[in-house]
Amino acid sequence: MKRLLAFAVAASISVTSVADEDQVEYRQEVMSAIGGTMGAIGKILKQEVDRPGDIAPLAAALDELADTAQRVFPEGSDGGDALPEIWEEPEDFAERLTVLKEATSKFRTAASSGDMAQIGPAVGEVGRACRGCHQRFRE
Ligand code: HEC
């Protein structure tokens, strides 16, 4: 009986930790997609590649990913470079996700207008939303 119990406990612990690891990896994959999308947009804006027509679809992708980002920090998914403050100060953290979403939504609108005078400042605002959260909540 004791052995059975010990096995059950060990099995449940290992299942939990595997699940958490997957959550962290999933979050990092989503964040990498966001980072890659921003990186591609940066290359266009710095005119390292001549792909102005890609800005609008990339901005739309970023705006969609900002929705996904809202769901990758569930309770109990601490790990990776995510600081525990995320779950200790959930309101502050949620506010930063909202700031990101507002910025990507504005950028998406600016990008679809094709007006560079709007696109530059809008992408700058997205970058500030990234940095603001990273400085506070990422190791
Ligand atoms: C609300 C907070 C928040 C915002 C906003 C945010 N990030 Fe992050 N980001 C994090 C946290 C926390 C991690 C660490 C996640 C982990 O290691 O589990 C992270 C990790 C990353 C990573 C590393 C992923 C990996 O493979 O380890 C990249 C790249 C990244 N973010 C890019 C961005 C970009 C670009 C933006 C803006 C468009 C952005 N992030 C906005 C919180 C945020």
Side-chain angles (χ1 to χ4, degrees), residues 54-136:
D54 288 349
I55 295 178
L58 287 169
L62 190 67
D63 191 38
E64 297 294 328
L65 285 168
D67 285 330
T68 310
Q70 314 271 335
R71 298 186 289 270
V72 298
F73 295 95
E75 195 77 46
S77 72
D78 43 317
D81 294 331
L83 292 178
E85 281 81 357
I86 291 170
W87 298 278
E88 288 162 12
E89 293 151 40
E91 279 170 26
D92 187 1
F93 186 72
E95 172 62 22
R96 289 181 196 264
L97 282 170
T98 304
V99 167
L100 173 70
K101 179 61 195 178
E102 282 167 2
T104 60
S105 168
K106 259 198 226 167
F107 173 48
R108 184 179 195 165
T109 306
S112 66
S113 80
D115 176 7
M116 278 301 174
Q118 285 183 48
I119 290 172
V123 80
E125 202 177 317
V126 174
R128 278 193 297 279
C130 311
R131 280 192 301 279
C133 187
H134 287 171
Q135 277 166 9
R136 176 97 184 73

